[in-house]
Amino acid sequence: MTTFNRLAVAAGAAGALGALAVAGRGVPAALGARATGPRLARMQRSPHYRDGAFHNRLASARAMPAGQREFVDRFRETAETRRPPGAVPVVSALREPATTGLHVTWFGHASALVELDGVRLLLDPVWSERCSPSRHVGPRRLHAVPVPLERIGPVDAVVVSHDHYDHLDMDTVQALATATDAVFVVPLGVGAHLEAWDVPAHRVLECDWGEGHEVSGVRVTAVESQHFSGRGVRRDGTLWASWVVAGEAGRVFFSGDTGWFPGYDAIGAEHGPFDVALMAVGAYDDSWRDIHLDPEEAVAAVREMGGGLLLPIHWCTFVLAPHPWAEPVERLLVAAATQGVEVCVPRVGDRVDVSAPPPLEAWWEAAVQPAGSA
């Protein structure tokens, strides 16, 4: 090897190491922390915790199939359809907080603001450019954030379904902990992450399934879901949950991330009827049917819970599965029409008055068409 070639190889290696160093900057902090002491002892008393981990009531997969050849092939084959060719329309209007009634603003993926009886609850807020422990690699947004986090207004509670990166984001949590007086209502164990990110312990409220807290007169209750957790190599060290938000003006079901399980009828019987259900409809694949709802299952779950307006979440913002970008909402509308379930599909950033939802408008069809096409 010539001197020039050796220098070139050395330069290339140095560049690769430098890129890895940049990509890895901040990752250890974003991984969060493990529960210890009284927090761990409380987790160990949960009926869903055994052998050092949380478990679903029914046996289910505990990891995504990213290493499976079949899955990788599907992801490669759908490269052209997983992203919208056109721009995703975003509503960026700033609104005064709603002081009465029940309103929902969807910010993309699973992030939403519920305004109930004048109480403002932010669900699974992720404002970062990527849903990843790294700010430089990982799934990137397909659309802009509708409203800067510092302009979102007062927040009474932040409700988190589980600790995956597309639902729990370190930078967003730290910004909310600094800029608001919100309490953080989370499943068991997730508080260890929050306290590692300097959220004061008195603002962290952890729940097992069936437990809840009052936030200014609104009841927030964790209920069963079927999923898994983990921010690093270790799996299921924290609990996952769906949530019920109940007040005088109405009741909300927030699925978070979950697969189908025989329990939605019981949730509806105990906590319903629901005025609106924020249901995950995207990021599904045959390889993980037991931990992610598909659109037809989301409709069936709402029917089992007793009906109510279905507002789809967990689609549109990040590419996390091989299905085409608009397929979740297209399949959802077909299933909902067949089953008689009312659906509202707001633009990203639009606020919905649940008592008077807007007529359905297929705004996503414009995003599917390349810019400039008629």
Side-chain angles (χ1 to χ4, degrees):
M1 181 181 292
T2 66
T3 300
F4 176 81
N5 285 339
R6 280 194 290 268
L7 289 173
V9 170
L17 288 173
L20 286 173
V22 170
R25 192 174 299 150
V27 169
L31 294 177
R34 292 190 179 191
T36 58
R39 171 174 284 114
L40 178 59
R42 183 184 175 197
M43 292 162 52
Q44 292 170 334
R45 292 194 295 271
S46 169
H48 317 298
Y49 189 94
R50 63 182 182 275
D51 301 324
F54 285 100
H55 295 262
N56 290 309
R57 180 164 53 90
L58 304 178
S60 64
R62 293 180 54 175
M64 305 298 255
Q68 295 180 5
R69 178 63 181 272
E70 182 183 350
F71 175 84
V72 173
D73 288 344
R74 282 199 301 277
F75 216 84
R76 186 184 302 112
E77 291 166 359
T78 59
E80 294 185 3
T81 62
R82 286 185 277 110
R83 298 171 178 272
V88 177
V90 173
V91 178
S92 299
L94 292 173
R95 300 179 179 85
E96 292 296 319
T99 57
T100 60
L102 171 57
H103 299 77
V104 177
T105 304
W106 177 54
F107 293 112
H109 200 56
S111 301
L113 176 70
V114 170
E115 297 174 281
L116 177 58
D117 300 334
V119 179
R120 307 180 91 227
L121 306 102
L122 200 52
L123 313 180
D124 280 3
V126 175
W127 254 249
S128 290
E129 183 67 13
R130 299 180 187 273
C131 57
S132 166
S134 171
R135 298 174 184 173
H136 303 280
V137 296
R140 191 171 189 173
R141 289 185 167 275
L142 301 177
H143 61 77
V145 173
V147 179
L149 198 58
E150 63 271 15
R151 302 184 66 185
I152 200 170
V155 177
D156 297 288
V158 176
V159 181
V160 175
S161 64
H162 65 297
D163 71 0
H164 285 157
Y165 297 104
D166 57 321
H167 297 259
L168 178 65
D169 177 63
M170 180 184 71
D171 289 345
T172 304
V173 165
Q174 291 179 325
L176 288 167
T178 301
T180 75
D181 295 322
V183 295
F184 291 76
V185 189
V186 300
L188 290 178
V190 175
H193 299 318
L194 303 186
E195 290 185 23
W197 301 336
D198 298 323
V199 179
H202 71 275
R203 292 172 59 183
V204 178
L205 307 174
E206 294 181 80
C207 299
D208 201 345
W209 296 342
E211 298 177 345
H213 290 278
E214 296 279 342
V215 179
S216 302
V218 169
R219 183 73 178 174
V220 184
T221 305
V223 295
E224 181 181 3
S225 66
Q226 184 163 290
H227 199 54
F228 70 111
S229 67
R231 295 179 73 83
V233 176
R234 186 187 182 214
R235 298 292 186 184
D236 302 337
T238 63
L239 187 59
W240 45 94
S242 297
W243 292 90
V244 172
V245 180
E248 291 294 328
R251 292 174 175 267
V252 180
F253 178 80
F254 173 58
S255 72
D257 223 346
T258 181
W260 173 266
F261 65 96
Y264 289 106
D265 55 346
I267 290 173
E270 182 173 358
H271 299 282
F274 297 108
D275 298 277
V276 62
L278 282 64
M279 300 297 298
V281 301
Y284 50 81
D285 185 80
D286 287 343
S287 299
W288 62 77
R289 290 191 59 85
D290 52 351
I291 53 176
H292 276 179
L293 291 172
D294 65 25
E296 293 78 15
E297 290 169 332
V299 171
V302 170
R303 277 183 55 85
E304 289 218 358
M305 290 188 294
L309 180 68
L310 193 163
L311 194 155
I313 62 169
H314 210 262
W315 77 287
C316 179
T317 305
F318 300 108
V319 175
L320 301 175
H323 60 67
W325 176 74
E327 184 182 276
V329 69
E330 292 169 348
R331 285 176 52 177
L332 173 73
L333 294 178
V334 172
T338 302
Q339 298 297 320
V341 172
E342 184 181 11
V343 174
C344 174
V345 188
R347 286 176 169 84
V348 177
D350 213 356
R351 181 162 71 181
V352 173
D353 181 345
V354 174
S355 67
L360 193 64
E361 181 182 352
W363 56 262
W364 56 90
E365 292 181 356
V368 171
Q369 296 298 321
S373 64

